[in-house]
Structures are given as structure tokens and as C-alpha cells.
Amino acid sequence: MTGPSDPAPSAAGSGGAGSVPGRSPQGADRTVSDAAGSGGAGSVPGRSPQGAERTAAALSDPENRSAPEETPRRAPGPAGTTPPAGTATAGTATEAPGTGSRRRTIRRTAAVLAVLAAGAVVLAALNSGTRHGHLDPRSADPTGSRAVAELLKERGVTTRVVTTAREAADATGPRTTLLVTDPDRLGAGQRSAIRSAIDLSGGRTVLLAPGDHSLSDLSPGVRTEGDAGSDDLDPRCTLPAATSAGRAGTGGDLRYTTALPGATACYPSGGHPTLLVLPTGTTGGDTVLLGSETILLNESLAEQGNASLALQLLGSRPDLVWYLPSLADSDPGTGPGEQDKSLLELIPAGWSWALLQLFLAAALAALWRARRLGPLVTEKLPVAIRASEATEGRARLYRKAGARDRAATVLRAATRERLAALVGVPPTRAHEPAALVPAVSARLTGEPRDVAALLFGTTPSDDAALVALADHLDALEREVRTS
């Protein structure tokens, strides 16, 4: 026994295509077969005419809604026989095959995503205190300065990070080295506070790549001379820190010139130094102008004599005050560091790689779940269902949906295919009005009929019109067969 192969038994879908007085049992069987999917679920050998009449009557009765629920599904067996006792039957409200598996897959996927999100949040929380960005002694980023801070710590130098000029000025003294990482960012009031600390502290002040904007207040008498030509330069001076460090990466940024007495010029590029050491008014104090930040970065600390020079410049006193100017200390609209940064520039380098890896993992997971390794495979139904029973159950579903359009389409398509075989029209042109309508009209001998409207017309307006359409199509086919 064969089950339905097309899930669109739509003539039954209207609920109105039922038995009609004067219709032959063969016509009713053919109408039911068309409704079951145009050749999918047909009449069953061995079935009595009463079975076909009962099926058609069920389709035409809009109030008889309980037949599919009351009619048991028979297990596979010889046509026209009753299945043995204990045979499993298919219920009417069974879950579609694979639905449970899809739900479990969705739940597992959601659980994995939740775990990944939780892990990302935990990592962000754990790393929030150690990743602070450019020239930060707490940052392990390539452009951070954690490496030099750790080396200073091993040598007994205590590093303190401050973010305001007032904190920096208050922390200075004879035993203190003050490092200002971005002098050009400071406003007028902040520059004045740092200048007072330079003059009165008696310690060392290191200004990192100061430009003309800040030099006028922090180090009068010094001006810039453009960019240095190369990154690594030789000391060419008598400064002990420079001679012991040797060649270092002080170039690639600013050069300076000054006529102040007592200034020590080192690491010249094109005749102008990239490192200046200036004495201050207080005995024992000095100011260091370093034209490049390269020797303080994690990524370049191990190159040439960078580490040696950085440790000697910053480690000459037991205390190091690392001043990272905040936005509150900045002078709006001045200096190259005041340009707005994009969102991508604000994300640390490590997080960019993490986001890229997550994106690739998501893409691979999508490809894995969407793979198709071969053609679709048709699976057999768990049980074979009689065509009449499938028609009865599906008829009520289509009636609830009001699918008269689908029912009429299936009826007409099945009729066109059978008529094309009778009148000699190729199957490939069975659904072309220009080919089928003239051939069918030539075989009619009775009263004139609008063959085009019957085979290619509009959707019936109600259930009665759908039943009438089924009758007219059946009559048309009988006339062509007998002509």
C-alpha cells in the first residue's frame, strides 16, 4: 500500500469537494486521488466503492471534524487487510521527525554561546587592572611600559602612577624622578604646576617628546628642530648614562637645540641632539628632554641599549612618579595628542585578535551546521496510511486554512496532465494554454464549453464553487475519454 507522496491534497482543503448526485464511483475516486496530491495517494486496490463514497462524504461535510482523530492509522500490511493486534499506529498529533533533535541542538548551541560570553566577561574583569594602554607602566601591551617598570622594581625603585598635575607636583622631591609622558597635552595651569616642581624639587624631571607648545613653559630656551632621521643613534656625548648604554633608539621623532649653559647634548641626528640634560636652579636637580618614547615601550625595550638607557634615566632616584595626563589636565585644541580617536583605536591590540578569533569560530560553526554532503534522501513513513484516510485528515486542515486556491490548483493541474496524455500533447507542455486548450476543444462534441476557464481559470470564490469546478473538470475528462 502506498502513502501520499505530495503534502498538498488541496481539493479536500476547501472542505467542500465532496460527493455530488449523479457522480459515478470512479469519478469520486479520481477526485479524491487528485486532492491527495495529483498521483501521490490514489485509490487502494481491494477497497470497496463504499470506502470512496465515505471519503468523499467526509470531505463535503464541514461539521464532521473528528474523523481523523477517531480513525486509527493502520500499520503496513497487504492491501485491504486489517493489521494484526499490537501493531503500532500513527497518531494524529505526532511530533514532526527531527523536531526534538533540532531543539536539543538549539539548546546546546545557546549553552555554548552563554559559556563563551561568560568567559569573555570574566577575562575582561581579570585583565581590567593590568591593561591600561599607551606608555602605562601597568600595561603589557606592545606600546605599554610594564617591562621597564618591572626592571626598575627589581632594582629597588618604587613606581607611582598619577593622572593630575597637582598630584605629580606634590609627589616630587630630591629623591624623586618625575616622568611626564605627554607634556604637550597639558593646559597652562598644569604646565605652571610642573614648572614649579622642576625649579623647587631638587630631583630629576623627564619630559617625553615635548614640543614647542610645552617647551616655552617647561623648558625656556629650548626649541625643536624637526624630526630625527633614523631610529637608532650613537650617544656622542660624555653623559655616563649614555656612554654605558651605547647605541639606543632615541631617534625617529623630535630633535632639539639650545644655547643654555651647562646643557649636555646626546644622540645627535643631523647635528641636533635627541636627548638633552639641563641643570635646574636647585642644587642636584636636572631636567631630561627625551625626543622619542621608543626606549620605554615593551616592544622595543630589548633592542640596542634601550633598556640600559631607560633604567639609568628613570632609576637615578629611589622613587619614580609616572605622570599620565588625564583629560581633565588637557588643554583643548592644542597639541597633536588632542585628536579624537576612533573606536578601533581605543580597543587594545589583544582584544582585536580575540574578536577576530571569535568571528572565525562563529563562521566555522555556521558552515559546519549548514553543511550538505549529498542530495536529500526520502524517508519512508513509519506506517502506511490509506489514501482515503489521508485525504479525510488533510481535508479538514485545508478547510481550517481556507485553502481553496491551493485545492483548485491541484485539481486543475492533475486534470491537465491526464488530458494532455489523452489528446497527444507532450507532458512538458501540459500546463501551457496555447498547446492544451485547442487540442482539448477539438475532441469535444457536445455543448460548447469554456475550456480555458475550466483548466486555467481563477480561484473559486466559495466551497460551492470549488465543488462545481470539480464536477465540471470530471465531466470534461469523461467527454474527452469517450470522444
Side-chain angles (χ1 to χ4, degrees):
M1 182 181 300
T2 59
S5 60
D6 188 302
S10 304
S14 67
S19 59
V20 180
R23 298 282 300 275
S24 65
Q26 294 79 2
D29 286 342
R30 183 164 58 251
T31 303
V32 172
S33 176
D34 293 346
S38 70
S43 59
V44 181
R47 296 291 302 276
S48 63
Q50 289 78 6
E53 292 173 359
R54 183 171 65 253
T55 301
L59 295 177
S60 63
D61 182 7
E63 299 302 324
N64 185 10
R65 304 291 178 87
S66 61
E69 292 76 4
E70 297 172 356
T71 304
R73 304 304 189 197
R74 297 175 176 83
T81 63
T82 302
T87 304
T89 60
T92 58
T94 57
E95 189 179 49
T99 301
S101 177
R102 287 194 297 271
R103 290 177 180 175
R104 287 191 296 271
T105 301
I106 292 174
R107 285 196 295 267
R108 285 196 297 267
T109 304
V112 171
L113 293 177
V115 170
L116 290 176
V121 172
V122 171
L123 289 176
L126 293 177
N127 294 332
S128 61
T130 58
R131 302 176 69 86
H132 294 269
H134 187 66
L135 284 174
D136 195 308
R138 300 161 295 186
S139 173
D141 290 344
T143 58
S145 299
R146 184 176 178 178
V148 68
E150 292 294 328
L151 292 176
L152 289 170
K153 182 179 178 180
E154 293 178 358
R155 286 158 177 77
V157 178
T158 302
T159 301
R160 175 186 174 187
V161 178
V162 297
T163 57
T164 65
R166 179 51 54 191
E167 290 178 323
D170 293 343
T172 57
R175 295 170 53 85
T176 301
T177 299
L178 172 62
L179 171 64
V180 184
T181 58
D182 195 353
D184 288 345
R185 179 185 290 271
L186 302 180
Q190 288 72 28
R191 293 195 299 271
S192 176
I194 297 300
R195 180 61 193 176
S196 298
I198 293 174
D199 292 336
L200 302 176
S201 67
R204 168 169 287 182
T205 302
V206 179
L207 302 178
L208 192 58
D212 290 330
H213 175 70
S214 58
L215 285 175
S216 58
D217 292 329
L218 298 179
S219 185
V222 180
R223 67 177 186 274
T224 61
E225 285 292 341
D227 296 339
S230 59
D231 294 336
D232 299 328
L233 302 172
D234 295 320
R236 298 180 184 177
C237 67
T238 59
L239 184 69
T243 55
S244 62
R247 189 175 181 84
T250 60
D253 205 334
L254 295 177
R255 301 179 299 167
Y256 300 100
T257 182
T258 183
L260 294 176
T264 302
C266 298
Y267 295 99
S269 174
H272 297 282
T274 57
L275 174 63
L276 272 178
V277 181
L278 306 172
T280 59
T282 305
T283 303
D286 59 9
T287 301
V288 177
L289 276 61
L290 183 59
S292 174
E293 62 189 22
T294 304
I295 66 171
L296 302 181
L297 301 180
N298 293 331
E299 62 183 359
S300 56
L301 184 65
E303 298 175 0
Q304 302 291 339
N306 294 348
S308 176
L309 183 60
L311 292 177
Q312 294 184 76
L313 292 179
L314 301 182
S316 61
R317 272 77 171 172
D319 296 321
L320 172 62
V321 178
W322 200 295
Y323 177 28
L324 297 170
S326 62
L327 292 178
D329 279 3
S330 63
D331 189 5
T334 58
E338 300 302 326
Q339 298 178 357
D340 293 336
K341 293 184 178 181
S342 65
L343 177 62
L344 295 178
E345 292 175 341
L346 296 175
I347 298 176
W351 284 105
S352 300
W353 284 107
L355 291 176
L356 178 60
Q357 292 174 12
L358 289 176
F359 174 77
L360 292 177
L364 291 175
L367 292 175
W368 168 58
R369 296 304 302 171
R371 71 191 188 283
R372 177 177 291 180
L373 302 180
L376 296 177
V377 178
T378 302
E379 297 183 2
K380 295 183 179 179
L381 294 175
V383 295
I385 303 174
R386 296 179 183 273
S388 59
E389 293 175 1
T391 302
E392 290 174 8
R394 291 174 178 171
R396 286 163 178 79
L397 295 177
Y398 279 100
R399 177 176 175 78
K400 290 180 181 179
R404 284 188 295 271
D405 53 346
R406 175 63 178 163
T409 299
V410 172
L411 282 172
R412 283 170 167 154
T415 303
R416 290 197 297 264
E417 291 174 359
R418 292 192 295 268
L419 289 176
L422 293 175
V423 300
V425 175
T428 56
R429 304 190 63 189
H431 304 289
E432 298 179 7
L436 183 63
V437 171
V440 173
S441 300
R443 298 285 294 271
L444 301 180
T445 58
E447 59 185 20
R449 301 188 186 186
D450 190 352
V451 177
L454 277 177
L455 298 178
F456 301 94
T458 58
T459 301
S461 58
D462 51 26
D463 292 349
L466 181 61
V467 173
L469 174 63
D471 291 340
H472 291 315
L473 290 175
D474 188 43
L476 177 63
E477 186 176 346
R478 284 200 306 270
E479 185 173 351
V480 173
R481 286 181 181 275
T482 58
S483 62

